[in-house]
């Protein structure tokens, strides 16, 4: 460990949060080494870009196959490092492979130069093309909650775009990324992916040395990343926290909504950016919904690893946030229907906690908990549910449940957030053709979404060439003043044809 890594504990040993057993060890990167690592990546990137989309797709395909072949090994390390249940750990690698497969299939078309039409008919003498040229070095700063998916889904997109990638995983979960990097090397891939390990100082050096930063983490850190990147005018894409609401309308399939709420709130012990953090239920179905939720929660098997649904929290700091939110809710009159106190014994376990009689005076309804709470609030009208859902500084995603899909979609477009799932939760993450990004303090830009998910890692270069030389150069100095005047009058007239028609 380096002397500058003063925010890290003195040890490089990572422990399993569920048992306290040693999960592995890591060498922290000295921030002073990062310019040298970045220079090496920049050198290798040139050849990587020159391979073209087809050549890169072949390497990424080999990597996707490696991920599939090593799924069990990756998941086992993931469980050791995070204390996840086997059910939770089993979803990361498949999601990553699906995203990789999508890029492998679409990258050639998404990155091909694009013809654009002439802006106005009299400009048809020009042939306009937009070329997508990779930003040479992309820095990726990742959180700890999904050490495989959250770090690698962005890295794969940037690599597909032709960039080199400098990845910094969370200092709380540094081990899985080492294994994933080994996989990249085992595939015979070029040295365009490098790992840095550490906390704030390493992140800052990554930002200082990158041409684009993809950050996933809390809103507070996101603001610091943006501030740091502003020093070098480096663009950033920010995927931040959320307080995702779920709305259960009076004509909802109540059992389906309850299953979804329980999975959406408690998946990964609630440590998911797009988890269900609060529920608004119309009063006519409220009692049935609450009963179904409690029944489902009681069936969950708690514990890390095999045979379990619901695992440990990442550490005491994260657990303390949940404790604080539950204590605040109880003090203000909420009732606890399940859980409500940390599990005795080893490990950072906090049981799935269902809260009722909650309102917006409580932290559990307004601040991101990022833990296993499911506060449920009764509402009288759909309008009230929408108003409360939007009463938040966050705007990541949401869910609406109704048997009438059109009614649910009408409600969806009243919600101020980046994505809404109808009769489901979190599933928009599988739909990589659609943008995934937060509104308000939940983020800036979109993590992925069709061709844009790759093009965000590129700079756009407009190449404008003549179709014909007839009419070109009319505004040069070598033309007479009269000809210039005639040309400007004619161009103004032609350009005003459309607006004049519209203005009538
Ligand atoms: P965090 O903000 O504490 O840390 C994220 C990363 O930033 C880590 O790698 C950390 O080392 C680094 N970092 C810390 N200080 C920094 C600084 N000053 N400058 C630059 N980098 C710094 O977040 P976390 O606790 O790891 O993750 C949980 C948060 O992430 C939650 O708020 C969650 O909602 C959010 N999240 C969002 C998404 C999404 O897609 N929107 C996905 C996962 C997690």
């Amino acid at each position: 460990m380096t002397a500058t890594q003063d925010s890290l504990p003195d040890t490089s040993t990572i422990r399993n949060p569920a048992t306290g057993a040693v999960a592995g060890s890591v060498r922290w990167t000295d921030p002073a080494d990062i310019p040298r690592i970045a220079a090496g990546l920049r050198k290798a990137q040139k050849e990587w870009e020159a391979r073209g989309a087809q050549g890169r797709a072949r390497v990424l395909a080999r990597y996707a196959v490696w991920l599939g072949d090593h799924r069990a090994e990756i998941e086992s390390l993931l469980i050791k490092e995070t204390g996840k249940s086997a059910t939770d750990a089993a979803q990361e690698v498949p999601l990553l492979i699906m995203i990789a497969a999508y890029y492998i299939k679409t990258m050639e078309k998404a990155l091909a130069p694009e013809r654009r039409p002439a802006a106005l008919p009299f400009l048809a003498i020009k042939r306009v093309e937009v070329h997508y040229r990779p930003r040479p070095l992309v820095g990726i700063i990742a959180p700890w909650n999904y050490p495989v998916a959250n770090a690698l889904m962005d890295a794969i997109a940037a690599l597909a775009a032709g960039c080199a990638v400098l990845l910094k995983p969370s200092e709380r979960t540094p081990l899985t990324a080492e294994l994933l990097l080994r996989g990249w090397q085992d595939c015979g891939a070029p040295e365009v992916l490098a790992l840095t390990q550490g906390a704030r100082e390493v992140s800052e050096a990554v930002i200082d040395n990158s041409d684009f930063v993809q950050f996933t983490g809390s809103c507070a850190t996101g603001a610091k990343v943006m501030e740091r990147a502003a020093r070098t005018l480096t663009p950033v894409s920010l995927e931040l926290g959320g307080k995702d609401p779920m709305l259960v309308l009076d004509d909802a399939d109540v059992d389906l909504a309850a299953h979804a709420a329980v999975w959406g709130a408690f998946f990964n012990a609630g440590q998911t950016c797009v988890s269900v953090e609060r529920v608004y239920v119309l009063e006519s179905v409220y009692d049935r919904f609450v009963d179904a939720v409690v029944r489902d929660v009681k069936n969950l098997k708690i514990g890390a690893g095999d045979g379990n649904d619901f695992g440990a929290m990442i550490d005491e700091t994260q657990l303390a946030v949940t404790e604080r939110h539950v204590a605040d809710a109880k003090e203000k009159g909420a009732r606890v229907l399940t859980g409500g106190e940390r599990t005795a014994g080893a490990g950072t376990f906090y049981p799935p906690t269902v809260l009722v009689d909650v309102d917006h005076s409580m932290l559990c309804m307004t601040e991101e908990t990022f833990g296993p709470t499911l506060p449920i609030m009764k509402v009288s009208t759909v309008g009230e549910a929408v108003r409360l859902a939007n009463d938040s500084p966050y705007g990541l995603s949401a869910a609406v449940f109704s048997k009438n899909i059109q009614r649910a979609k009408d409600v969806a477009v009243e919600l101020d957030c980046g994505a809404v799932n109808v009769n489901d939760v979190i599933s928009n993450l599988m739909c990589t053709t659609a943008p995934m990004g937060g509104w308000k303090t939940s983020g800036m830009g979109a993590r992925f979404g069709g061709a844009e998910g790759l093009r965000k890692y590129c700079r756009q270069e407009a190449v404008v060439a003549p179709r014909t030389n007839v009419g070109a150069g009319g505004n040069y100095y070598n033309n007479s003043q009269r000809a210039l005047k005639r040309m400007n009058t004619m161009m103004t007239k032609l350009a005003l044809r459309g607006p004049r028609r519209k203005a009538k």
Side-chain angles (χ1 to χ4, degrees):
M1 182 182 161
T2 65
T4 47
Q5 290 286 299
D6 50 12
S7 55
L8 288 171
D10 284 345
T11 171
S12 56
T13 299
I14 305 298
R15 290 183 183 276
N16 182 336
T19 60
V22 173
S25 63
V26 69
R27 256 190 77 192
W28 305 118
T29 308
D30 185 338
D33 284 342
I34 291 180
R36 181 186 51 76
I37 300 169
L41 287 168
R42 285 179 189 284
K43 208 166 152 206
Q45 184 272 335
K46 290 191 171 52
E47 189 271 332
W48 181 239
E49 179 181 356
R51 286 186 190 204
Q54 261 189 14
R56 296 195 298 274
R58 271 194 293 277
V59 178
L60 290 169
R62 287 207 300 273
Y63 190 49
V65 171
W66 182 93
L67 288 168
D69 291 347
H70 291 77
R71 210 182 133 187
E73 188 186 349
I74 298 167
E75 284 168 9
S76 153
L77 180 58
L78 202 52
I79 288 168
K80 275 195 208 162
E81 183 169 47
T82 61
K84 284 179 196 253
S85 70
T87 312
D88 289 348
Q91 306 216 13
E92 283 208 54
V93 180
L95 177 66
L96 183 62
I97 293 174
M98 276 171 50
I99 291 173
Y102 169 69
Y103 289 134
I104 290 162
K105 183 173 145 206
T106 56
M107 57 194 279
E108 203 179 340
K109 192 162 170 223
L111 298 168
E114 208 187 11
R115 282 262 183 93
R116 296 275 171 97
L120 290 165
F122 64 86
L123 289 171
I125 58 168
K126 298 293 183 194
R127 188 188 296 280
V128 181
E129 286 171 2
V130 178
H131 291 246
Y132 295 96
R133 307 269 315 278
R135 302 177 190 275
L137 183 54
V138 171
I140 293 177
I141 303 173
W144 47 264
N145 60 336
Y146 293 102
V148 175
N150 266 335
L152 261 286
M153 73 166 94
D154 300 315
I156 286 175
L159 289 164
C163 316
V165 170
L166 188 51
L167 172 63
K168 196 208 80 67
S170 168
E171 63 278 23
R172 295 180 189 177
T173 53
L175 302 177
T176 319
E178 303 261 347
L179 175 57
L180 295 169
L181 176 68
R182 203 196 74 207
W184 180 255
Q185 292 159 347
D186 286 357
C187 290
E191 290 180 7
V192 284
L193 173 64
L195 203 54
T196 59
Q197 297 283 18
R200 180 177 57 81
E201 299 89 331
V202 174
S203 285
E204 287 172 352
V206 168
I207 297 167
D208 295 348
N209 286 279
S210 299
D211 303 304
F212 184 88
V213 176
Q214 172 67 47
F215 172 80
T216 308
S218 62
C219 305
T221 312
K224 287 181 193 149
V225 167
M226 202 167 161
E227 223 175 299
R228 184 82 186 193
R231 296 184 188 181
T232 46
L233 291 180
T234 301
V236 295
S237 175
L238 306 175
E239 288 294 327
L240 309 176
K243 188 76 191 167
D244 287 3
M246 172 170 164
L247 281 64
V248 183
L249 307 195
D250 43 5
D251 60 350
D253 177 335
V254 172
D255 279 332
L256 173 69
H259 297 324
V262 171
W263 182 73
F266 300 129
F267 180 60
N268 209 36
Q271 303 167 120
T272 302
C273 55
V274 287
S275 67
V276 174
E277 287 249 343
R278 51 197 170 116
V279 188
Y280 303 98
V281 189
L282 268 289
E283 52 196 352
S284 61
V285 289
Y286 176 83
D287 289 339
R288 271 199 296 139
F289 176 79
V290 171
D291 289 348
V293 162
V294 170
R295 182 198 60 212
D296 269 16
V297 170
K298 290 194 169 148
N299 286 332
L300 292 177
K301 293 191 197 77
I302 299 179
D306 281 342
N308 291 309
D309 301 313
F310 178 94
M313 299 197 70
I314 194 72
D315 59 18
E316 291 293 340
T317 313
Q318 207 56 44
L319 194 146
V321 179
T322 302
E323 282 185 324
R324 185 163 59 82
H325 285 195
V326 173
D328 170 80
K330 279 202 238 175
E331 204 182 292
K332 291 173 180 159
R335 277 186 302 130
V336 179
L337 300 188
T338 67
E341 257 176 60
R342 75 176 293 163
T343 313
T348 42
F349 287 94
Y350 194 100
T353 295
V354 177
L355 299 165
V356 291
D357 299 343
V358 292
D359 60 40
H360 278 216
S361 70
M362 300 173 188
L363 297 174
C364 68
M365 293 296 280
T366 54
E367 278 186 12
E368 183 181 45
T369 309
F370 216 60
T373 55
L374 180 56
I376 308 171
M377 184 170 173
K378 191 192 290 182
V379 290
S380 314
T381 62
V382 176
E384 185 187 2
V386 169
R387 181 181 60 73
L388 289 166
N390 287 339
D391 176 25
S392 172
Y394 298 100
L396 195 52
S397 62
V400 181
F401 281 74
S402 163
K403 282 185 190 150
N404 181 338
I405 305 281
Q406 190 52 51
R407 184 181 182 217
K409 281 172 37 178
D410 290 345
V411 170
V413 292
E414 287 187 55
L415 297 174
D416 298 337
C417 60
V420 182
N421 291 291
V422 170
N423 293 340
D424 202 352
V425 290
I426 309 183
S427 59
N428 65 297
L429 288 191
M430 315 270 185
C431 303
T432 42
T433 51
M436 191 247 161
W439 290 17
K440 302 193 261 184
T441 59
S442 287
M444 178 176 283
R447 156 165 260 158
F448 51 61
E452 287 313 312
L454 295 175
R455 290 176 182 170
K456 67 186 268 191
Y457 296 111
C458 297
R459 297 160 297 187
Q460 296 182 27
E461 186 174 358
V463 177
V464 179
R467 279 178 199 280
T468 167
N469 276 330
V470 176
N475 50 347
Y476 292 176
Y477 290 129
N478 58 330
N479 293 293
S480 72
Q481 284 297 316
R482 247 183 86 205
L484 204 58
K485 209 169 148 192
R486 217 172 35 233
M487 192 199 72
N488 282 331
T489 308
M490 188 186 74
M491 278 175 49
T492 309
K493 259 192 191 157
L494 287 172
L496 274 175
R497 271 186 185 172
R500 280 198 204 289
R501 269 199 304 272
K502 272 252 152 50
K504 275 182 188 155

